Amino acid sequence: MSRLDLSFCRRQRRRRFKIRSINHDNRLRLSVFKSNKFVYVQAIDDEQHKTIASASSISKDFPDSIKTYGVEGCKWIGKTIADKLKAKKITKIVFDLGGWQMHGCIKALADSARENGLEF
């Protein structure tokens, strides 16, 4: 592993530890993963170890007019996950960046989820 990979893993473990130790009101964790082509989001219940809702840029209802990996695609994913969670009457979540920094498409995803009714 290179130094960059190790720092990414450390940052991811540190953030996840803080999320789990501070999350006293048992909110769902909105976990973000991105690859070179696609972006995936899951709402996870850590107590039951289950995924409540998910959205990604490889889903069948993803619009063909949007690039799969970009700011517009992430905005669509944020809106979709917010709509799915609102349908299940969930509005308060904890945003887990993984090891990613809050800029670019991750920031667009978070802003879109906030605009559509989720509270971080």
Side-chain angles (χ1 to χ4, degrees), residues 10-73:
R10 282 190 211 121
R11 184 169 49 236
Q12 184 177 17
R13 279 184 291 173
R14 185 173 58 238
R15 284 183 180 164
R16 195 149 300 146
F17 175 76
K18 287 180 183 178
I19 286 171
R20 287 184 180 152
S21 63
I22 294 173
N23 190 10
H24 296 295
D25 45 345
N26 298 325
R27 294 181 178 189
L28 295 180
R29 178 169 53 98
L30 191 68
S31 177
V32 178
F33 175 78
K34 66 178 188 173
S35 67
N36 288 335
K37 287 186 177 181
F38 303 109
V39 179
Y40 309 86
V41 178
Q42 292 180 330
I44 302 169
D45 184 0
D46 286 324
E47 285 189 357
Q48 298 178 358
H49 305 289
K50 291 188 178 182
T51 300
I52 306 300
S54 65
S56 68
S57 57
I58 62 169
S59 64
K60 292 180 182 177
D61 52 340
F62 190 80
D64 292 332
S65 61
I66 301 174
K67 286 175 42 179
T68 57
Y69 184 83
V71 173
E72 292 300 318

Short mmCIF file of all heavy atoms in Angstrom, two decimals, residues 10-73:
data_model
loop_
_atom_site.label_atom_id
_atom_site.label_comp_id
_atom_site.label_asym_id
_atom_site.label_seq_id
_atom_site.Cartn_x
_atom_site.Cartn_y
_atom_site.Cartn_z
N ARG A 10 -6.81 5.55 7.34
CA ARG A 10 -6.78 6.15 8.67
C ARG A 10 -7.89 7.19 8.82
O ARG A 10 -8.58 7.24 9.83
CB ARG A 10 -5.43 6.80 8.94
CG ARG A 10 -4.37 5.83 9.30
CD ARG A 10 -3.13 6.59 9.78
NE ARG A 10 -1.97 5.82 9.43
CZ ARG A 10 -0.98 6.22 8.66
NH1 ARG A 10 -0.98 7.42 8.15
NH2 ARG A 10 0.04 5.43 8.39
N ARG A 11 -8.04 8.02 7.80
CA ARG A 11 -9.07 9.07 7.84
C ARG A 11 -10.46 8.43 7.90
O ARG A 11 -11.32 8.87 8.65
CB ARG A 11 -8.93 9.96 6.61
CG ARG A 11 -9.87 11.13 6.58
CD ARG A 11 -9.54 12.14 5.50
NE ARG A 11 -9.33 11.56 4.20
CZ ARG A 11 -8.22 11.71 3.47
NH1 ARG A 11 -7.21 12.43 3.93
NH2 ARG A 11 -8.10 11.16 2.29
N GLN A 12 -10.66 7.37 7.15
CA GLN A 12 -11.95 6.69 7.14
C GLN A 12 -12.25 6.06 8.51
O GLN A 12 -13.35 6.21 9.04
CB GLN A 12 -11.94 5.61 6.07
CG GLN A 12 -13.24 4.89 5.90
CD GLN A 12 -13.17 3.88 4.78
OE1 GLN A 12 -12.09 3.50 4.34
NE2 GLN A 12 -14.31 3.45 4.32
N ARG A 13 -11.27 5.38 9.11
CA ARG A 13 -11.48 4.77 10.43
C ARG A 13 -11.72 5.83 11.50
O ARG A 13 -12.57 5.66 12.37
CB ARG A 13 -10.28 3.91 10.81
CG ARG A 13 -10.30 2.55 10.17
CD ARG A 13 -9.17 1.74 10.66
NE ARG A 13 -7.96 2.35 10.10
CZ ARG A 13 -6.73 2.00 10.41
NH1 ARG A 13 -6.52 1.07 11.28
NH2 ARG A 13 -5.70 2.58 9.85
N ARG A 14 -10.98 6.92 11.44
CA ARG A 14 -11.13 7.99 12.43
C ARG A 14 -12.53 8.61 12.34
O ARG A 14 -13.19 8.80 13.36
CB ARG A 14 -10.06 9.04 12.18
CG ARG A 14 -10.02 10.15 13.21
CD ARG A 14 -8.82 11.07 13.00
NE ARG A 14 -8.81 11.65 11.68
CZ ARG A 14 -7.81 11.53 10.80
NH1 ARG A 14 -6.75 10.79 11.08
NH2 ARG A 14 -7.86 12.11 9.63
N ARG A 15 -13.00 8.89 11.15
CA ARG A 15 -14.33 9.48 10.99
C ARG A 15 -15.42 8.51 11.43
O ARG A 15 -16.38 8.90 12.09
CB ARG A 15 -14.57 9.88 9.54
CG ARG A 15 -13.84 11.14 9.17
CD ARG A 15 -14.15 11.53 7.77
NE ARG A 15 -13.44 12.75 7.43
CZ ARG A 15 -13.27 13.17 6.20
NH1 ARG A 15 -13.76 12.49 5.20
NH2 ARG A 15 -12.61 14.28 5.96
N ARG A 16 -15.29 7.24 11.07
CA ARG A 16 -16.32 6.28 11.44
C ARG A 16 -16.37 6.07 12.95
O ARG A 16 -17.43 5.90 13.53
CB ARG A 16 -16.07 4.96 10.72
CG ARG A 16 -17.27 4.07 10.79
CD ARG A 16 -17.46 3.17 9.63
NE ARG A 16 -17.61 3.87 8.37
CZ ARG A 16 -17.15 3.39 7.22
NH1 ARG A 16 -16.54 2.25 7.18
NH2 ARG A 16 -17.32 4.07 6.11
N PHE A 17 -15.22 6.10 13.62
CA PHE A 17 -15.19 6.00 15.08
C PHE A 17 -15.91 7.18 15.72
O PHE A 17 -16.69 7.00 16.64
CB PHE A 17 -13.74 5.93 15.59
CG PHE A 17 -13.63 5.94 17.07
CD1 PHE A 17 -13.92 4.79 17.80
CD2 PHE A 17 -13.28 7.08 17.75
CE1 PHE A 17 -13.83 4.79 19.17
CE2 PHE A 17 -13.19 7.10 19.12
CZ PHE A 17 -13.46 5.94 19.84
N LYS A 18 -15.66 8.38 15.20
CA LYS A 18 -16.34 9.56 15.74
C LYS A 18 -17.84 9.49 15.52
O LYS A 18 -18.62 9.86 16.40
CB LYS A 18 -15.77 10.83 15.10
CG LYS A 18 -14.39 11.18 15.59
CD LYS A 18 -13.89 12.44 14.92
CE LYS A 18 -12.47 12.75 15.36
NZ LYS A 18 -11.95 13.94 14.70
N ILE A 19 -18.24 9.03 14.36
CA ILE A 19 -19.67 8.93 14.06
C ILE A 19 -20.34 7.96 15.03
O ILE A 19 -21.39 8.24 15.59
CB ILE A 19 -19.89 8.47 12.61
CG1 ILE A 19 -19.58 9.61 11.65
CG2 ILE A 19 -21.32 7.98 12.39
CD1 ILE A 19 -19.56 9.20 10.21
N ARG A 20 -19.73 6.82 15.27
CA ARG A 20 -20.34 5.82 16.14
C ARG A 20 -20.31 6.23 17.60
O ARG A 20 -21.21 5.89 18.36
CB ARG A 20 -19.64 4.48 15.95
CG ARG A 20 -19.99 3.85 14.64
CD ARG A 20 -19.38 2.50 14.48
NE ARG A 20 -19.77 1.95 13.18
CZ ARG A 20 -19.05 1.09 12.51
NH1 ARG A 20 -17.92 0.65 13.00
NH2 ARG A 20 -19.46 0.64 11.36
N SER A 21 -19.29 6.95 18.01
CA SER A 21 -19.21 7.33 19.43
C SER A 21 -20.11 8.53 19.75
O SER A 21 -20.59 8.66 20.86
CB SER A 21 -17.77 7.63 19.82
OG SER A 21 -17.29 8.75 19.09
N ILE A 22 -20.36 9.40 18.79
CA ILE A 22 -21.16 10.59 19.03
C ILE A 22 -22.63 10.34 18.75
O ILE A 22 -23.50 10.99 19.30
CB ILE A 22 -20.65 11.77 18.16
CG1 ILE A 22 -19.26 12.16 18.62
CG2 ILE A 22 -21.57 12.96 18.22
CD1 ILE A 22 -18.58 13.16 17.75
N ASN A 23 -22.96 9.36 17.95
CA ASN A 23 -24.32 9.10 17.49
C ASN A 23 -25.16 8.46 18.60
O ASN A 23 -25.43 7.28 18.59
CB ASN A 23 -24.29 8.20 16.25
CG ASN A 23 -25.62 8.08 15.58
OD1 ASN A 23 -26.55 8.81 15.91
ND2 ASN A 23 -25.73 7.17 14.66
N HIS A 24 -25.61 9.28 19.58
CA HIS A 24 -26.34 8.76 20.72
C HIS A 24 -27.83 8.57 20.43
O HIS A 24 -28.48 7.76 21.07
CB HIS A 24 -26.18 9.69 21.93
CG HIS A 24 -24.77 9.77 22.40
ND1 HIS A 24 -24.10 8.70 22.91
CD2 HIS A 24 -23.89 10.80 22.41
CE1 HIS A 24 -22.87 9.06 23.25
NE2 HIS A 24 -22.71 10.33 22.94
N ASP A 25 -28.38 9.33 19.49
CA ASP A 25 -29.81 9.19 19.22
C ASP A 25 -30.07 8.19 18.10
O ASP A 25 -31.15 8.17 17.51
CB ASP A 25 -30.46 10.54 18.93
CG ASP A 25 -29.64 11.39 17.98
OD1 ASP A 25 -28.46 11.08 17.76
OD2 ASP A 25 -30.20 12.36 17.46
N ASN A 26 -29.09 7.36 17.81
CA ASN A 26 -29.23 6.21 16.88
C ASN A 26 -29.78 6.60 15.52
O ASN A 26 -30.74 6.00 15.03
CB ASN A 26 -30.08 5.12 17.52
CG ASN A 26 -29.46 4.59 18.77
OD1 ASN A 26 -28.24 4.49 18.87
ND2 ASN A 26 -30.28 4.28 19.75
N ARG A 27 -29.18 7.58 14.92
CA ARG A 27 -29.55 7.97 13.57
C ARG A 27 -28.97 6.98 12.57
O ARG A 27 -27.99 6.29 12.85
CB ARG A 27 -29.02 9.35 13.24
CG ARG A 27 -29.62 10.45 14.06
CD ARG A 27 -29.04 11.77 13.65
NE ARG A 27 -29.62 12.86 14.39
CZ ARG A 27 -29.40 14.12 14.09
NH1 ARG A 27 -28.60 14.45 13.10
NH2 ARG A 27 -29.98 15.07 14.79
N LEU A 28 -29.55 6.95 11.39
CA LEU A 28 -29.00 6.14 10.31
C LEU A 28 -27.73 6.80 9.81
O LEU A 28 -27.57 8.01 9.86
CB LEU A 28 -29.99 6.02 9.17
CG LEU A 28 -31.30 5.28 9.44
CD1 LEU A 28 -32.13 5.27 8.19
CD2 LEU A 28 -31.04 3.88 9.90
N ARG A 29 -26.84 5.99 9.28
CA ARG A 29 -25.59 6.49 8.72
C ARG A 29 -25.71 6.47 7.21
O ARG A 29 -26.01 5.44 6.61
CB ARG A 29 -24.43 5.61 9.18
CG ARG A 29 -23.10 5.98 8.63
CD ARG A 29 -21.99 5.23 9.35
NE ARG A 29 -22.18 3.80 9.38
CZ ARG A 29 -21.59 2.93 8.53
NH1 ARG A 29 -20.81 3.38 7.58
NH2 ARG A 29 -21.79 1.64 8.65
N LEU A 30 -25.51 7.63 6.58
CA LEU A 30 -25.55 7.73 5.12
C LEU A 30 -24.11 7.58 4.62
O LEU A 30 -23.31 8.50 4.71
CB LEU A 30 -26.14 9.07 4.68
CG LEU A 30 -26.48 9.19 3.22
CD1 LEU A 30 -27.63 8.26 2.88
CD2 LEU A 30 -26.84 10.60 2.87
N SER A 31 -23.79 6.40 4.14
CA SER A 31 -22.43 6.06 3.74
C SER A 31 -22.25 6.29 2.24
O SER A 31 -23.09 5.88 1.43
CB SER A 31 -22.16 4.60 4.08
OG SER A 31 -20.89 4.22 3.64
N VAL A 32 -21.15 6.93 1.87
CA VAL A 32 -20.86 7.25 0.48
C VAL A 32 -19.64 6.46 0.03
O VAL A 32 -18.64 6.39 0.74
CB VAL A 32 -20.57 8.76 0.31
CG1 VAL A 32 -20.22 9.08 -1.12
CG2 VAL A 32 -21.74 9.58 0.76
N PHE A 33 -19.74 5.85 -1.14
CA PHE A 33 -18.59 5.19 -1.77
C PHE A 33 -18.56 5.64 -3.21
O PHE A 33 -19.60 5.73 -3.87
CB PHE A 33 -18.72 3.67 -1.71
CG PHE A 33 -17.61 2.97 -2.45
CD1 PHE A 33 -16.36 2.86 -1.90
CD2 PHE A 33 -17.83 2.47 -3.72
CE1 PHE A 33 -15.34 2.24 -2.58
CE2 PHE A 33 -16.82 1.84 -4.42
CZ PHE A 33 -15.56 1.72 -3.85
N LYS A 34 -17.37 5.94 -3.68
CA LYS A 34 -17.26 6.28 -5.10
C LYS A 34 -16.08 5.54 -5.70
O LYS A 34 -15.06 5.34 -5.06
CB LYS A 34 -17.15 7.78 -5.32
CG LYS A 34 -15.91 8.43 -4.79
CD LYS A 34 -15.92 9.91 -5.12
CE LYS A 34 -14.58 10.53 -4.77
NZ LYS A 34 -14.47 11.90 -5.21
N SER A 35 -16.27 5.12 -6.93
CA SER A 35 -15.20 4.50 -7.69
C SER A 35 -14.79 5.48 -8.78
O SER A 35 -15.22 6.63 -8.78
CB SER A 35 -15.67 3.17 -8.27
OG SER A 35 -16.65 3.39 -9.25
N ASN A 36 -14.01 5.02 -9.72
CA ASN A 36 -13.60 5.90 -10.80
C ASN A 36 -14.75 6.24 -11.74
O ASN A 36 -14.71 7.26 -12.43
CB ASN A 36 -12.47 5.28 -11.61
CG ASN A 36 -11.18 5.28 -10.84
OD1 ASN A 36 -10.98 6.09 -9.95
ND2 ASN A 36 -10.30 4.35 -11.16
N LYS A 37 -15.79 5.39 -11.78
CA LYS A 37 -16.90 5.63 -12.69
C LYS A 37 -18.22 5.91 -12.00
O LYS A 37 -19.06 6.62 -12.54
CB LYS A 37 -17.11 4.41 -13.58
CG LYS A 37 -16.07 4.21 -14.64
CD LYS A 37 -16.49 3.05 -15.52
CE LYS A 37 -15.52 2.85 -16.65
NZ LYS A 37 -15.93 1.74 -17.52
N PHE A 38 -18.46 5.32 -10.84
CA PHE A 38 -19.78 5.34 -10.25
C PHE A 38 -19.76 5.85 -8.81
O PHE A 38 -18.72 5.83 -8.15
CB PHE A 38 -20.40 3.94 -10.28
CG PHE A 38 -20.48 3.37 -11.66
CD1 PHE A 38 -19.66 2.32 -12.03
CD2 PHE A 38 -21.36 3.87 -12.59
CE1 PHE A 38 -19.72 1.78 -13.30
CE2 PHE A 38 -21.42 3.35 -13.87
CZ PHE A 38 -20.61 2.30 -14.22
N VAL A 39 -20.94 6.27 -8.33
CA VAL A 39 -21.10 6.75 -6.96
C VAL A 39 -22.24 5.95 -6.33
O VAL A 39 -23.28 5.74 -6.96
CB VAL A 39 -21.45 8.26 -6.93
CG1 VAL A 39 -21.64 8.74 -5.52
CG2 VAL A 39 -20.37 9.06 -7.63
N TYR A 40 -22.02 5.49 -5.10
CA TYR A 40 -23.01 4.68 -4.39
C TYR A 40 -23.29 5.32 -3.03
O TYR A 40 -22.37 5.80 -2.37
CB TYR A 40 -22.48 3.27 -4.13
CG TYR A 40 -21.94 2.57 -5.35
CD1 TYR A 40 -20.61 2.74 -5.76
CD2 TYR A 40 -22.74 1.72 -6.09
CE1 TYR A 40 -20.12 2.08 -6.86
CE2 TYR A 40 -22.26 1.06 -7.20
CZ TYR A 40 -20.94 1.24 -7.58
OH TYR A 40 -20.45 0.60 -8.69
N VAL A 41 -24.55 5.29 -2.60
CA VAL A 41 -24.94 5.82 -1.29
C VAL A 41 -25.86 4.81 -0.63
O VAL A 41 -26.75 4.26 -1.27
CB VAL A 41 -25.68 7.17 -1.43
CG1 VAL A 41 -26.12 7.69 -0.09
CG2 VAL A 41 -24.81 8.19 -2.11
N GLN A 42 -25.62 4.56 0.67
CA GLN A 42 -26.47 3.64 1.43
C GLN A 42 -26.85 4.29 2.75
O GLN A 42 -26.01 4.91 3.39
CB GLN A 42 -25.75 2.34 1.76
CG GLN A 42 -25.44 1.47 0.60
CD GLN A 42 -24.73 0.21 1.05
OE1 GLN A 42 -24.02 0.21 2.04
NE2 GLN A 42 -24.94 -0.86 0.31
N ALA A 43 -28.09 4.11 3.15
CA ALA A 43 -28.53 4.50 4.49
C ALA A 43 -28.50 3.22 5.33
O ALA A 43 -29.23 2.27 5.07
CB ALA A 43 -29.93 5.08 4.46
N ILE A 44 -27.61 3.19 6.34
CA ILE A 44 -27.33 1.97 7.10
C ILE A 44 -27.77 2.15 8.54
O ILE A 44 -27.46 3.16 9.17
CB ILE A 44 -25.83 1.64 7.05
CG1 ILE A 44 -25.38 1.47 5.60
CG2 ILE A 44 -25.52 0.39 7.86
CD1 ILE A 44 -23.89 1.40 5.42
N ASP A 45 -28.47 1.16 9.06
CA ASP A 45 -28.81 1.09 10.48
C ASP A 45 -27.73 0.25 11.14
O ASP A 45 -27.67 -0.97 10.95
CB ASP A 45 -30.19 0.47 10.67
CG ASP A 45 -30.63 0.48 12.12
OD1 ASP A 45 -29.87 0.97 12.98
OD2 ASP A 45 -31.75 0.00 12.39
N ASP A 46 -26.85 0.89 11.93
CA ASP A 46 -25.72 0.20 12.52
C ASP A 46 -26.12 -0.75 13.64
O ASP A 46 -25.39 -1.70 13.92
CB ASP A 46 -24.68 1.20 13.03
CG ASP A 46 -23.91 1.84 11.89
OD1 ASP A 46 -23.65 1.14 10.90
OD2 ASP A 46 -23.58 3.03 11.99
N GLU A 47 -27.24 -0.52 14.29
CA GLU A 47 -27.66 -1.42 15.36
C GLU A 47 -28.14 -2.76 14.81
O GLU A 47 -27.83 -3.81 15.36
CB GLU A 47 -28.76 -0.78 16.19
CG GLU A 47 -28.25 0.30 17.11
CD GLU A 47 -29.32 0.75 18.08
OE1 GLU A 47 -30.47 0.27 17.98
OE2 GLU A 47 -29.01 1.59 18.92
N GLN A 48 -28.92 -2.72 13.74
CA GLN A 48 -29.44 -3.95 13.15
C GLN A 48 -28.56 -4.48 12.02
O GLN A 48 -28.83 -5.55 11.48
CB GLN A 48 -30.85 -3.71 12.63
CG GLN A 48 -31.83 -3.34 13.70
CD GLN A 48 -33.21 -3.06 13.13
OE1 GLN A 48 -33.41 -3.12 11.92
NE2 GLN A 48 -34.15 -2.77 14.01
N HIS A 49 -27.55 -3.71 11.62
CA HIS A 49 -26.64 -4.08 10.54
C HIS A 49 -27.40 -4.34 9.24
O HIS A 49 -27.19 -5.35 8.57
CB HIS A 49 -25.81 -5.31 10.92
CG HIS A 49 -25.06 -5.16 12.20
ND1 HIS A 49 -23.97 -4.33 12.32
CD2 HIS A 49 -25.26 -5.70 13.42
CE1 HIS A 49 -23.53 -4.38 13.56
NE2 HIS A 49 -24.29 -5.21 14.25
N LYS A 50 -28.28 -3.40 8.90
CA LYS A 50 -29.08 -3.53 7.68
C LYS A 50 -29.04 -2.23 6.88
O LYS A 50 -28.96 -1.15 7.44
CB LYS A 50 -30.54 -3.85 8.02
CG LYS A 50 -30.74 -5.22 8.58
CD LYS A 50 -32.19 -5.54 8.70
CE LYS A 50 -32.35 -6.95 9.24
NZ LYS A 50 -33.75 -7.32 9.34
N THR A 51 -29.14 -2.39 5.58
CA THR A 51 -29.25 -1.25 4.68
C THR A 51 -30.73 -0.92 4.51
O THR A 51 -31.52 -1.77 4.11
CB THR A 51 -28.62 -1.56 3.32
OG1 THR A 51 -27.24 -1.86 3.52
CG2 THR A 51 -28.76 -0.39 2.38
N ILE A 52 -31.09 0.31 4.84
CA ILE A 52 -32.49 0.73 4.78
C ILE A 52 -32.85 1.21 3.37
O ILE A 52 -33.91 0.88 2.85
CB ILE A 52 -32.76 1.85 5.81
CG1 ILE A 52 -32.32 1.42 7.20
CG2 ILE A 52 -34.20 2.29 5.78
CD1 ILE A 52 -33.03 0.19 7.73
N ALA A 53 -31.99 2.00 2.76
CA ALA A 53 -32.24 2.51 1.40
C ALA A 53 -30.90 2.72 0.71
O ALA A 53 -29.87 2.91 1.37
CB ALA A 53 -33.00 3.82 1.47
N SER A 54 -30.92 2.68 -0.59
CA SER A 54 -29.68 2.91 -1.34
C SER A 54 -30.01 3.59 -2.67
O SER A 54 -31.12 3.50 -3.18
CB SER A 54 -28.95 1.60 -1.59
OG SER A 54 -29.71 0.77 -2.42
N ALA A 55 -29.00 4.26 -3.21
CA ALA A 55 -29.09 4.87 -4.53
C ALA A 55 -27.70 4.88 -5.14
O ALA A 55 -26.71 4.96 -4.41
CB ALA A 55 -29.62 6.30 -4.42
N SER A 56 -27.64 4.77 -6.44
CA SER A 56 -26.33 4.76 -7.09
C SER A 56 -26.47 5.23 -8.52
O SER A 56 -27.58 5.35 -9.06
CB SER A 56 -25.72 3.37 -7.05
OG SER A 56 -26.45 2.50 -7.87
N SER A 57 -25.33 5.46 -9.13
CA SER A 57 -25.34 5.91 -10.51
C SER A 57 -25.40 4.73 -11.49
O SER A 57 -25.37 4.95 -12.69
CB SER A 57 -24.10 6.76 -10.79
OG SER A 57 -22.93 6.03 -10.50
N ILE A 58 -25.52 3.50 -10.98
CA ILE A 58 -25.70 2.35 -11.87
C ILE A 58 -27.13 1.81 -11.81
O ILE A 58 -27.43 0.81 -12.43
CB ILE A 58 -24.70 1.23 -11.56
CG1 ILE A 58 -24.90 0.68 -10.16
CG2 ILE A 58 -23.29 1.66 -11.78
CD1 ILE A 58 -24.14 -0.60 -9.89
N SER A 59 -28.00 2.50 -11.08
CA SER A 59 -29.38 2.02 -10.99
C SER A 59 -30.09 2.21 -12.34
O SER A 59 -29.71 3.03 -13.16
CB SER A 59 -30.12 2.76 -9.88
OG SER A 59 -30.20 4.12 -10.18
N LYS A 60 -31.14 1.45 -12.54
CA LYS A 60 -31.84 1.45 -13.83
C LYS A 60 -32.58 2.75 -14.09
O LYS A 60 -32.80 3.12 -15.23
CB LYS A 60 -32.81 0.28 -13.88
CG LYS A 60 -32.11 -1.05 -13.93
CD LYS A 60 -33.07 -2.18 -13.98
CE LYS A 60 -32.32 -3.49 -13.99
NZ LYS A 60 -33.20 -4.65 -13.96
N ASP A 61 -32.99 3.46 -13.02
CA ASP A 61 -33.74 4.69 -13.22
C ASP A 61 -32.84 5.93 -13.29
O ASP A 61 -33.33 7.04 -13.32
CB ASP A 61 -34.80 4.87 -12.13
CG ASP A 61 -34.23 4.72 -10.73
OD1 ASP A 61 -33.15 4.13 -10.59
OD2 ASP A 61 -34.87 5.20 -9.78
N PHE A 62 -31.53 5.73 -13.34
CA PHE A 62 -30.59 6.85 -13.49
C PHE A 62 -30.74 7.40 -14.91
O PHE A 62 -30.69 6.65 -15.88
CB PHE A 62 -29.16 6.37 -13.25
CG PHE A 62 -28.15 7.47 -13.15
CD1 PHE A 62 -28.01 8.18 -11.98
CD2 PHE A 62 -27.35 7.80 -14.22
CE1 PHE A 62 -27.08 9.21 -11.87
CE2 PHE A 62 -26.42 8.81 -14.14
CZ PHE A 62 -26.29 9.51 -12.95
N PRO A 63 -30.92 8.73 -15.05
CA PRO A 63 -31.14 9.31 -16.38
C PRO A 63 -29.91 9.17 -17.28
O PRO A 63 -28.78 9.35 -16.85
CB PRO A 63 -31.41 10.79 -16.10
CG PRO A 63 -31.55 10.93 -14.64
CD PRO A 63 -31.01 9.71 -13.99
N ASP A 64 -30.16 8.84 -18.54
CA ASP A 64 -29.06 8.67 -19.50
C ASP A 64 -28.42 10.00 -19.88
O ASP A 64 -27.30 10.03 -20.36
CB ASP A 64 -29.57 7.98 -20.76
CG ASP A 64 -29.96 6.54 -20.49
OD1 ASP A 64 -29.39 5.94 -19.57
OD2 ASP A 64 -30.83 6.02 -21.22
N SER A 65 -29.13 11.10 -19.68
CA SER A 65 -28.62 12.40 -20.09
C SER A 65 -27.55 12.94 -19.14
O SER A 65 -26.87 13.91 -19.46
CB SER A 65 -29.77 13.40 -20.19
OG SER A 65 -30.37 13.55 -18.91
N ILE A 66 -27.39 12.31 -17.97
CA ILE A 66 -26.42 12.77 -16.97
C ILE A 66 -25.22 11.85 -16.98
O ILE A 66 -25.35 10.64 -17.08
CB ILE A 66 -27.06 12.77 -15.57
CG1 ILE A 66 -28.28 13.68 -15.52
CG2 ILE A 66 -26.05 13.21 -14.52
CD1 ILE A 66 -29.04 13.61 -14.21
N LYS A 67 -24.01 12.43 -16.86
CA LYS A 67 -22.82 11.61 -16.71
C LYS A 67 -22.89 10.84 -15.39
O LYS A 67 -23.33 11.38 -14.38
CB LYS A 67 -21.56 12.47 -16.72
CG LYS A 67 -21.20 13.02 -18.07
CD LYS A 67 -20.03 13.96 -18.06
CE LYS A 67 -18.89 13.52 -17.19
NZ LYS A 67 -17.76 14.43 -17.21
N THR A 68 -22.45 9.60 -15.39
CA THR A 68 -22.57 8.77 -14.18
C THR A 68 -21.69 9.27 -13.05
O THR A 68 -22.00 9.07 -11.90
CB THR A 68 -22.22 7.31 -14.48
OG1 THR A 68 -20.89 7.24 -15.01
CG2 THR A 68 -23.20 6.71 -15.45
N TYR A 69 -20.57 9.88 -13.37
CA TYR A 69 -19.68 10.36 -12.33
C TYR A 69 -19.47 11.84 -12.56
O TYR A 69 -18.72 12.26 -13.42
CB TYR A 69 -18.33 9.62 -12.40
CG TYR A 69 -17.41 10.00 -11.29
CD1 TYR A 69 -17.51 9.40 -10.06
CD2 TYR A 69 -16.45 10.97 -11.47
CE1 TYR A 69 -16.66 9.73 -9.04
CE2 TYR A 69 -15.60 11.32 -10.45
CZ TYR A 69 -15.71 10.70 -9.24
OH TYR A 69 -14.88 11.04 -8.23
N GLY A 70 -20.16 12.65 -11.80
CA GLY A 70 -20.03 14.08 -11.92
C GLY A 70 -20.97 14.76 -10.95
O GLY A 70 -21.74 14.12 -10.23
N VAL A 71 -20.92 16.06 -10.94
CA VAL A 71 -21.71 16.84 -10.00
C VAL A 71 -23.21 16.65 -10.26
O VAL A 71 -23.99 16.46 -9.32
CB VAL A 71 -21.31 18.33 -10.07
CG1 VAL A 71 -22.23 19.18 -9.24
CG2 VAL A 71 -19.88 18.50 -9.60
N GLU A 72 -23.63 16.66 -11.51
CA GLU A 72 -25.05 16.49 -11.82
C GLU A 72 -25.55 15.11 -11.41
O GLU A 72 -26.66 14.96 -10.89
CB GLU A 72 -25.31 16.73 -13.31
CG GLU A 72 -25.09 18.16 -13.74
CD GLU A 72 -26.00 19.13 -13.00
OE1 GLU A 72 -27.19 18.83 -12.81
OE2 GLU A 72 -25.51 20.20 -12.61
N GLY A 73 -24.75 14.08 -11.63
CA GLY A 73 -25.12 12.74 -11.22
C GLY A 73 -25.24 12.62 -9.71
O GLY A 73 -26.16 11.98 -9.19
#
